[in-house]
Amino acid sequence: MAKTLNVSILGYGMMGTVRAVAYEAVSRYYTNCPIKPVLYQAFTLPVEAEAAKESGWDAKSDLDAVITDPGCDYVDVCLPNAMHYDAVMKALAAGKHVFCEKPLSVTVDEAREMMTAAEAKPELLNAVNFIYRRCPSNVYARQLVKENKFGKLLEARSFYNQSWGGPDTPYSWRFGKAGGTLGDLGSHALDMLYYVTGMRPIELCAMQHTHIKERRDPKTVGSDLAARMNRGADGPQGEMVKVETDDATRIMYTLPGGAIGSLECTRNAWGTENTHGYELYFENGAIAWNYDDVNYLKIYDASKPERGWSRVLSNRGGFAYPSFADGHMYGYRDFTVNACYENMLKIAGADEVAPIATFRDAYNVECTIEAVRSSWENRCWVKLADFT
Ligand code: SOE
């Protein structure tokens, strides 16, 4: 019989809901999982309480009590970004394993403190939900780069574009200082660059832009998720609120070894609902992935006489995750199950399928985000070494 572990979820928006389903699925999909996660308690923000209750949770409103409850072994932080720091620090102090939604924090200083506190307790899990690491296509891409399949990397292009940030979208915390596009979407693209290539920018120059300078306070619309879904459909409500963060960011950078790259992220690219991906150009070939075609990795082998891209199905035996039938396509919920599964493996002292993002990884992303802001504020190239 697998050992059980009591999981408390903090926050019941989109992430909290997806995670609750995933923990329940872990030991059904992965019957070999050494630890069985058991849903214990959920803290909900006032706007989430009703939905949580309807889905069967005994929703709690005292955050500290949920975190420090002696019955809880593992805290999953699915709260708005600005609430991560406090919740994580309290959870670590109370001796709980911690899984935190990205971005880890709002500032580099917070991220550094969170990382230091976590690393002082190596017996506890510290993991961050850079979810796209758990997609088999990216596990495969990483493996090809590790094997040096196509030689030296010359150029990289990353993008994470969505389209829900138009002028009718009401204000939510995602438009406040803690919720910008770079932290929300760019952080995934930065982590993916590191995950697949093993490299982080060493120098960069960036531009950030806010197209829509103020948005209507949704008032009665309620939660962040509801606000997004509504897209102003209920007509004008409340006051106009100043937007404090970027709608879009562009970065140019250099990598160790001489490669150059670019990264773009926006919430204003109509038609790209969740277009996240990368193109990596090496001396002797290329690798490309795009969430729009999530189960496939595109590979270009320049040594083959017949030039052209191969579109390789990554969701099949031997590529990464056990127990699914070949070609039965993966989606976001499956990646979340994988993430929760691998957290259990790591806690049990077993190897995860592919490395989980640690607080240290997320701290490095925060350093890059800080460098981007500084580059744009000062209109200059910056060295990453000055931000760590
Ligand atoms: C919204 O932009 C969002 O839910 C992000 O917050 C997630 O990190 C991303 O995976 C999907 O889009």
Side-chain angles (χ1 to χ4, degrees), residues 33-327:
C33 189
I35 297 180
K36 180 178 160 59
V38 175
L39 295 179
Y40 184 64
Q41 289 185 337
F43 161 80
T44 56
L45 296 165
V47 292
E48 300 160 347
E50 206 177 310
K53 277 208 175 95
E54 270 172 27
S55 70
W57 276 101
D58 173 16
K60 310 270 180 208
S61 56
D62 184 339
L63 181 57
D64 287 2
V66 172
I67 296 174
T68 55
D69 187 295
C72 159
D73 304 309
Y74 171 117
V75 165
D76 187 337
V77 183
C78 298
L79 296 163
N81 300 347
M83 296 174 76
H84 289 185
Y85 171 81
D86 259 11
V88 165
M89 294 303 275
K90 281 179 183 152
L92 289 169
K96 315 294 181 191
H97 297 288
V98 181
F99 187 37
C100 184
E101 189 46 44
K102 49 54 55 183
L104 179 60
S105 63
V106 176
T107 67
V108 179
D109 290 342
E110 281 178 2
R112 190 180 302 107
E113 271 186 62
M114 292 155 101
M115 174 180 79
T116 308
E119 291 181 355
K121 296 194 168 178
E123 70 284 8
L124 300 177
L125 175 82
N126 68 82
V128 177
N129 188 37
F130 282 114
I131 187 71
Y132 303 103
R133 288 186 177 215
R134 318 269 62 100
C135 163
S137 308
N138 296 324
V139 177
Y140 181 40
R142 181 173 184 275
Q143 188 185 317
L144 292 175
V145 177
K146 268 191 111 177
E147 288 165 2
N148 199 25
K149 176 93 177 149
F150 299 121
K152 196 175 146 195
L153 179 66
L154 304 179
E155 293 180 28
R157 175 177 171 242
S158 312
F159 45 90
Y160 199 152
N161 299 332
Q162 295 183 339
S163 60
W164 55 272
D168 288 346
T169 303
Y171 188 85
S172 74
W173 63 264
R174 287 178 190 268
F175 298 105
K177 275 207 173 72
T181 308
L182 177 60
D184 189 31
L185 304 179
S187 64
H188 279 298
L190 287 169
D191 181 69
M192 190 48 61
L193 174 73
Y194 172 68
Y195 177 72
V196 174
T197 69
M199 290 190 273
R200 300 189 175 97
I202 46 176
E203 228 178 348
L204 64 80
C205 177
M207 185 181 180
Q208 300 203 275
H209 195 73
T210 309
H211 298 287
I212 294 128
K213 309 262 188 281
E214 46 178 29
R215 294 176 183 272
R216 202 166 287 281
D217 183 344
K219 293 275 193 286
T220 59
V221 171
S223 76
D224 173 57
L225 183 65
R228 282 176 51 194
M229 295 307 163
N230 253 321
R231 293 187 180 174
D234 288 348
Q237 303 165 53
E239 302 298 311
M240 297 306 279
V241 186
K242 194 171 173 307
V243 171
E244 292 172 309
T245 192
D246 63 311
D247 287 331
T249 292
R250 299 285 184 273
I251 313 175
M252 287 193 296
Y253 58 80
T254 59
L255 291 173
I260 60 170
S262 68
L263 186 152
E264 65 184 64
C265 54
T266 177
R267 291 167 172 163
N268 289 283
W270 287 118
T272 66
E273 300 296 341
N274 200 45
T275 299
H276 171 31
Y278 50 82
E279 292 161 10
L280 301 172
Y281 299 100
F282 301 85
E283 285 171 317
N284 305 311
I287 297 175
W289 174 73
N290 188 329
Y291 191 86
D292 291 340
D293 201 12
V294 70
N295 287 273
Y296 292 87
L297 187 67
K298 281 176 65 188
I299 299 174
Y300 189 106
D301 187 342
S303 69
K304 297 236 169 92
E306 69 287 355
R307 294 282 179 103
W309 288 96
S310 310
R311 187 169 162 266
V312 180
L313 177 69
S314 60
N315 175 20
R316 63 189 164 90
F319 269 87
Y321 295 91
S323 100
F324 288 102
D326 288 358

Side-chain angles (χ1 to χ4, degrees), residues 8-22:
S8 292
I9 298 184
L10 312 183
Y12 212 76
M14 167 184 160
M15 291 304 165
T17 345
V18 175
R19 287 264 250 287
V21 174

